Amino acid sequence: MSCIFCEIVKGKIPCYKIYEDEHTLAFLDIGQEGFGHTLVIPKSHSESFINSNLEELTYCIKTAEKISKHYIQNCGFSGVNILINNGESAGQSVMHFHIHIIPRKNGDNILNWKIPKDETSLEEVRKMLEVKE
Ligand code: DGP
């Protein structure tokens, strides 16, 4: 099955490239939701965060860190949101692992998460979600 991000890696679909190295590619998100909204992807295909491997995740995190520092130190931003959507229910629409970098400035008000408060007691939640190895 064809993957749009693999096509971008191969150069078959154009992108606005921000950075590239042996293992990763970073380019502007086509949706332009936020100035400079950037995606970091591994060049080798993995479907999502949980289907990736530690090596690829590490490469991507290093690239995301490099770009974030660049945005903050050289491009006039004061922060970044780093976001990974894993799975359709979490909003993942492209099934090739990617990290969103959303550059931020104080008071820009571009990302206001409104997550409804959950009333379950934290102890109950802990019992349900604790990792038992
Ligand atoms: P997500 O919802 O986390 O799977 O984010 C996928 C992002 O990928 C979404 O913000 C839009 C972006 N996107 C989808 N197709 C293309 C494309 O062809 N080029 C670029 N640059 N971005 C794309």
Side-chain angles (χ1 to χ4, degrees), residues 4-5 8 13-16 27-31 33 37 39 84-85 91-95 98 100:
I4 202 155
F5 285 179
I8 289 176
I13 293 179
C15 71
Y16 291 91
F27 52 91
L28 296 177
D29 189 296
I30 204 167
E33 287 167 328
H37 186 154
L39 301 174
I84 297 171
N85 295 328
Q92 185 178 1
S93 59
V94 177
M95 295 300 154
H98 52 280
H100 295 258

